[in-house]
Amino acid sequence: MIDEVQTVKNIASEKDAIGDFRFPERHKFDAGYGLTSKTVDYISDVKDDPDWVRAFRHKALAAFEEMPMPTHWATKDLESIDFDKIRYYLASGEAPKRSWDDVPEDVKRTFERLGIPEQERKFLAGVEAQYDSEAAYSNVKQAVTDQGVIFVNSTEGLKQHEDVFRKWFGKVIPTRDNKFSALNSAVFSGGSFIYVPPGVKVKHPLQAYFRINSENFGQFERTLIIVDEGAEVMYMEGCTAPKFETSTLHSAVVELVAMKDAKIQYVTVQNWSSNVFNLVTKRGVAHENAEIRWIDCNIGSRLTMKYPGVVMKGRKARGEVISIALANTGQHQDTGAKMIHAADETTSNVISKSISIGEGRSTYRGQVHIPKHLKGCKNNTECDALLINSSSRTDTYPAITVRGNDHATQHEASVSQVSQDQIFYMKQRGLSEAEAMSLSVNGFINDLVREFPMEYSVELKRLIDLEMEGSVG
Amino acid sequence: MEAQTQSQQMKLEIKDLHARIDGQEILKGLSLDIPKGEVHAIMGPNGSGKSTLSKVLAGHDDYEVTGGEVLMDGVNLLEMPADERSRAGLFMAFQYPVEIPGVSNANFIRAALQARLPNGEELDAVDFYKALYAKMDELEIDRKFTARSVNEGYSGGEKKRNEILQMAMLEPFYCVLDETDSGLDIDALKIVAKGVNAMRSPYRGFLVITHYQRLLDYIEPDHVHVMVNGRIVRSGGKGLALELEEKGYDWVRDELAVTA
Ligand SMILES: Nc1ncnc2c1ncn2[C@@H]1O[C@H](COP(=O)(O)OP(=O)(O)OP(=O)(O)O)[C@@H](O)[C@H]1O
Ligand SMILES: [Mg+2]
């Protein structure tokens, strides 16, 4: 046992091995290339969808086809996605296993290399490990199940817990929210469904890991988390893909519902390879005195567009986005936050830090909305950018619409550089250029890293070190 | 005989060093030997090139060496990048220490020590903090400075003391102190001098750059050199510093003019 753990560690200490490996494909179900209503029917057939889901998918497909690419505000690079060269559903046809021993060898080895079973043993209350379109492994600790917590994949969720599922599904993020939420709604598979009953505080985090193994593929998981009155949960997600020659698409939709006095923390550590288009829609609704925190770290990908949001619907609800984005050469991190105040005395906080290295590009887009009829709302927005060399680019678009004069908002932005003097000083103490850069970057995001659970902050630091090594040496 | 050649090499040897920045020659044929076990002081007017010398020794990229050589224990220093020079045992206390936001002092020193270990070997955290606290106590640095970002918001004197703390932790073979005494109050000066003196050993050489003879009362040099316009123009014992203090640099310049 001990030997096995060590192997995982050793492999993970080399950059290429983190996510850049793959196994041959062996899919029983393959929706083929391109997206038509036949593709949607294929997915619905394979998954044995109830009629309402099939109808939902078709309606979404129509919306996707009709909606334009948002290139009037977003990057033109979106146009390089060729929707005809993507496969929309790839699955083995096997139900997720409850024990790692039952998981097929290649899939098991994949997740072992990524350290998932080890993390599960150490600190998780439950894990769902998705491989291409479907979960290969899914397990929750008995103690958590005994508390009445439901943690399953979206297919099981919509079939076995239709009441709760249907009530909220597509309500936080309507199909037509944006072109990619429509796309996800048409072809979604995998992702988690979580329900936490009133008053239950899940002690350890629940985790999902999204792994892409196949080329020319799109992953479209769908996650819905409902935390009932006074309940609390922390959910963590990680993701990787091998480095393919062609581009890969990842387009998820994540909806959160925090009922009165509930708390949700949603933690993401994303480490996509550099040709993944990562176009994700994430939003939560916070009812009275509830709290939703998005803690987000975006490393890698060719283009990430992600603006986690919180709709503060009940009095005294709180929303928070803490995000770190690292854009290396050839990457564009277009991230931000959406804070919609819809009740009195609601509070939102956005702290975003971006690091641009080489020709990497970072964009911050914020939207804070406080309507006139509300009283006593607060927003704090801070966005800081760190440039590692002069060709890096960073843009900030903070749209703060505050109507009425009974609110307190605060906005700060800064752009800084790692100076040559700093690098020289650190080198004089014996640190290599890459180590010096890593240290400066870690210093820059230090206060945010503390917001991540310990186990993830260690991982995060390691990922950043590797990015710096790759960009300097 | 062999022992003798070895001891001959145990020094920092600067030979006819020429260096320039932005096309301007600043070091114009500077020669100086600093054997292990000795303390050499350099004094010289503003702009004479003292900081330039220390940065060239440390390997700053902005400076172009156009002639001469520097050997550290017989090894060509100028071929090594700055970080390698440091790991090989060269330390420079900066005249203007640089701030590194967000990086705690403890983490910084720890990273520097870790960089000296062979691959795969981890610094022992307990031993590290023990050593760090001991040195901080010696230098009378409050322990809250372990958690503070490197040099950020420190007073001038605190920055200088922090340089000496790093030096004490890294245990270099050759130490270049660029005006470490500037900005120190009289008590701090004594503490810093005590720290430096504690590190004096037959295995370590010092190059101390200063404007004030007062420092040399506390850190007694074996040799004093006067630097003017990119060269060492005069060398002597401790008395030279006193003489300079009394007569000013014009005295050396005038003498130079006479001999020229
Ligand atoms: N980028 C540069 N281009 C041209 N000249 C420079 C440049 N940088 C420094 N110098 C000059 O080099 C000379 C030597 O500077 P240096 O800092 O080494 O002097 P110093 O002896 O340390 O002086 P001080 O006693 O004031 O610390 C100065 O005249 C300075 O103006
Ligand atoms: Mg100087």
Side-chain angles (χ1 to χ4, degrees):
Chain A
M1 208 50 154
I2 284 164
D3 281 344
E4 190 187 318
V5 174
Q6 291 227 304
T7 320
V8 170
K9 274 218 176 112
N10 287 342
I11 290 169
S13 68
E14 291 160 29
K15 174 165 175 74
D16 287 350
I18 280 204
D20 195 15
F21 61 91
R22 62 180 299 216
F23 288 96
E25 283 182 39
R26 30 162 212 86
H27 296 298
K28 185 166 167 212
F29 298 112
D30 179 346
Y33 289 87
L35 177 57
T36 65
S37 60
K38 277 191 191 132
T39 323
V40 168
D41 278 326
Y42 180 89
I43 296 171
S44 270
D45 289 344
V46 170
K47 296 176 79 72
D48 195 18
D49 276 342
D51 289 346
W52 71 270
V53 175
R54 190 185 293 260
F56 178 92
R57 289 182 188 277
H58 279 288
K59 219 173 135 193
L61 177 64
F64 168 70
E65 284 170 344
E66 176 205 317
M67 292 171 85
M69 268 295 187
T71 41
H72 59 288
W73 60 269
T75 169
K76 298 262 178 295
D77 195 25
L78 284 172
E79 270 153 17
S80 19
I81 304 172
D82 188 344
F83 291 101
D84 294 333
K85 293 217 171 105
I86 291 169
R87 289 177 293 171
Y88 291 79
Y89 186 81
L90 294 173
S92 69
E94 290 171 46
K97 303 295 187 282
R98 302 260 174 256
S99 155
W100 285 107
D101 292 337
D102 299 334
V103 173
E105 193 57 25
D106 51 349
V107 180
K108 186 174 143 189
R109 270 170 56 200
T110 296
F111 288 111
E112 272 171 357
R113 272 180 88 154
L114 297 166
I116 310 304
E118 189 192 349
Q119 289 180 353
E120 182 181 14
R121 283 193 297 275
K122 278 190 184 156
F123 65 93
L124 297 170
V127 171
E128 199 197 310
Q130 179 167 337
Y131 195 75
D132 291 339
S133 294
E134 298 287 5
Y137 172 86
S138 173
N139 194 26
V140 195
K141 298 238 157 86
Q142 191 57 42
V144 179
T145 311
D146 290 346
Q147 290 179 298
V149 174
I150 300 166
F151 179 32
V152 292
N153 62 45
S154 64
T155 314
E156 272 180 61
L158 67 88
K159 286 184 185 166
Q160 286 159 25
H161 309 279
E162 189 181 325
D163 290 359
V164 204
F165 190 95
R166 211 170 158 176
K167 185 169 170 200
W168 294 105
F169 178 71
K171 299 297 192 313
V172 183
I173 301 172
T175 296
R176 303 183 64 97
D177 186 81
N178 64 76
K179 190 172 174 73
F180 292 95
S181 60
L183 173 63
N184 175 282
S185 301
V187 297
F188 74 90
S189 60
S192 313
F193 170 69
I194 294 173
Y195 173 76
V196 185
V200 172
K201 298 186 165 121
V202 186
K203 226 165 72 194
H204 299 286
L206 299 172
Q207 176 174 287
Y209 200 93
F210 301 100
R211 171 67 180 173
I212 291 176
N213 183 65
S214 301
E215 191 160 9
N216 303 318
F217 167 67
Q219 191 173 50
F220 305 97
E221 86 268 10
R222 181 94 190 194
T223 291
L224 175 60
I225 301 177
I226 294 144
V227 179
D228 221 323
E229 289 195 7
E232 290 176 16
V233 74
M234 178 189 273
Y235 179 83
M236 320 208 294
E237 62 171 4
C239 33
T240 53
K243 222 174 256 161
F244 293 120
E245 293 301 312
T246 55
S247 52
T248 307
L249 179 58
H250 174 257
S251 190
V253 166
V254 177
E255 298 176 287
L256 310 183
V257 180
M259 303 305 285
K260 185 170 181 282
D261 300 324
K263 281 187 185 171
I264 304 178
Q265 292 202 70
Y266 192 108
V267 183
T268 304
V269 176
Q270 153 196 318
N271 179 32
W272 291 117
S273 56
S274 51
N275 35 23
V276 173
F277 281 92
N278 181 45
L279 311 166
V280 172
T281 312
K282 290 180 163 171
R283 198 170 305 150
V285 170
H287 289 90
E288 189 181 333
N289 198 39
E291 180 179 290
I292 292 181
R293 304 180 79 203
W294 297 98
I295 302 172
D296 206 3
C297 177
N298 300 300
I299 298 176
S301 83
R302 168 166 165 179
L303 171 66
T304 287
M305 290 174 68
K306 191 202 278 179
Y307 321 98
V310 182
V311 180
M312 287 149 277
K313 221 176 165 178
R315 222 181 114 248
K316 293 196 164 185
R318 297 174 301 281
E320 190 164 31
V321 172
I322 305 254
S323 85
I324 298 171
L326 197 151
N328 225 321
T329 299
Q331 302 174 345
H332 182 179
Q333 303 285 1
D334 196 322
T335 59
K338 224 176 212 179
M339 291 298 184
I340 312 296
H341 292 254
D344 289 343
E345 296 170 70
T346 46
T347 311
S348 61
N349 185 33
V350 178
I351 304 178
S352 153
K353 295 204 177 189
S354 71
I355 301 134
S356 310
I357 310 162
E359 276 146 43
R361 186 173 162 196
S362 304
T363 307
Y364 171 82
R365 287 178 214 275
Q367 193 185 326
V368 176
H369 183 70
I370 306 180
K372 195 170 177 178
H373 65 275
L374 297 184
K375 287 192 183 60
C377 298
K378 279 187 207 152
N379 166 261
N380 175 54
T381 300
E382 284 169 45
C383 32
D384 300 318
L386 183 71
L387 303 180
I388 303 275
N389 72 39
S390 51
S391 62
S392 307
R393 182 167 162 194
T394 176
D395 308 286
T396 307
Y397 307 99
I400 303 184
T401 45
V402 181
R403 305 256 148 70
N405 43 21
D406 186 31
H407 309 298
T409 58
Q410 199 176 330
H411 176 242
E412 276 174 46
S414 77
V415 179
S416 51
Q417 298 247 12
V418 177
S419 71
Q420 281 313 110
D421 282 350
Q422 285 171 339
I423 298 294
F424 176 64
Y425 187 76
M426 291 188 261
K427 277 174 137 179
Q428 208 304 304
R429 301 306 188 238
L431 303 178
S432 68
E433 181 129 359
E435 287 166 337
M437 293 279 197
S438 281
L439 209 59
S440 313
V441 168
N442 277 305
F444 174 67
I445 56 173
N446 203 5
D447 50 341
L448 297 197
V449 171
R450 275 188 223 125
E451 299 292 330
F452 286 76
M454 235 285 274
E455 295 80 4
Y456 266 31
S457 63
V458 171
E459 168 80 0
L460 217 151
K461 211 182 143 306
R462 191 169 66 91
L463 290 176
I464 288 167
D465 286 351
L466 289 167
E467 277 297 315
M468 300 317 296
E469 245 167 60
S471 65
V472 180
Chain B
M1 198 62 203
E2 206 189 310
Q4 201 189 347
T5 39
Q6 221 169 28
S7 79
Q8 255 174 14
Q9 288 186 343
M10 295 309 249
K11 61 184 173 189
L12 187 64
E13 210 174 348
I14 307 166
K15 294 190 222 169
D16 194 29
L17 188 62
H18 292 256
R20 60 179 176 197
I21 182 163
D22 290 340
Q24 176 122 0
E25 183 163 66
I26 310 290
L27 300 184
K28 301 171 181 173
L30 185 140
S31 298
L32 186 63
D33 272 11
I34 303 162
K36 277 187 178 163
E38 293 186 5
V39 173
H40 290 239
I42 289 190
M43 304 182 82
N46 294 133
S48 55
K50 303 178 299 296
S51 292
T52 302
L53 172 65
S54 46
K55 282 187 235 172
V56 168
L57 291 176
H60 197 295
D61 289 334
D62 286 355
Y63 298 87
E64 186 194 350
V65 175
T66 51
E69 63 178 343
V70 180
L71 303 176
M72 185 162 85
D73 297 341
V75 179
N76 185 348
L77 197 68
L78 300 178
E79 274 179 359
M80 298 183 204
D83 53 324
E84 207 180 312
R85 294 183 198 192
S86 165
R87 294 192 299 270
L90 182 78
F91 182 91
M92 166 185 157
F94 284 59
Q95 181 175 3
Y96 304 107
V98 182
E99 302 187 352
I100 311 171
V103 178
S104 76
N105 235 336
N107 274 349
F108 182 54
I109 297 174
R110 195 169 163 173
L113 284 169
Q114 180 68 47
R116 285 158 167 79
L117 296 179
N119 242 340
E121 207 173 294
E122 277 291 319
L123 196 70
D124 184 278
V126 176
D127 291 348
F128 165 72
Y129 274 100
K130 232 183 189 167
L132 182 63
Y133 287 149
K135 301 288 183 204
M136 289 178 87
D137 291 351
E138 265 174 49
L139 292 165
E140 298 181 33
I141 297 174
D142 193 294
R143 287 189 185 181
K144 70 173 189 277
F145 278 84
T146 49
R148 280 183 66 175
S149 296
V150 179
N151 296 326
E152 199 181 31
Y154 294 19
S155 75
E158 286 166 350
K159 282 184 183 170
K160 295 302 179 72
R161 235 191 273 199
N162 199 38
E163 293 290 284
I164 301 304
L165 173 64
Q166 294 177 45
M167 180 171 89
M169 289 299 291
L170 297 180
E171 302 184 322
F173 299 129
Y174 295 97
C175 309
V176 179
L177 309 186
D178 191 357
E179 292 198 29
T180 301
D181 55 329
S182 305
L184 292 180
D185 65 43
I186 192 73
D187 294 335
L189 182 69
K190 284 182 193 163
I191 295 164
V192 162
K194 199 178 92 190
V196 172
N197 286 330
M199 286 182 72
R200 289 181 78 155
S201 101
Y203 308 105
R204 191 169 284 134
F206 288 85
L207 178 61
V208 179
I209 296 168
T210 180
H211 284 295
Y212 306 104
Q213 120 78 22
R214 193 187 58 193
L215 174 71
L216 306 179
D217 286 341
Y218 298 107
I219 304 172
E220 280 209 39
D222 299 292
H223 299 273
V224 175
H225 310 275
V226 181
M227 183 166 175
V228 175
N229 197 14
R231 276 191 213 103
I232 300 294
V233 295
R234 218 165 199 282
S235 299
K238 200 183 162 240
L240 183 55
L242 287 165
E243 210 170 341
L244 270 176
E245 181 120 308
E246 205 175 297
K247 300 181 181 167
Y249 290 115
D250 281 344
W251 159 67
V252 202
R253 286 200 188 99
D254 291 346
E255 272 200 1
L256 279 174
V258 171
T259 52

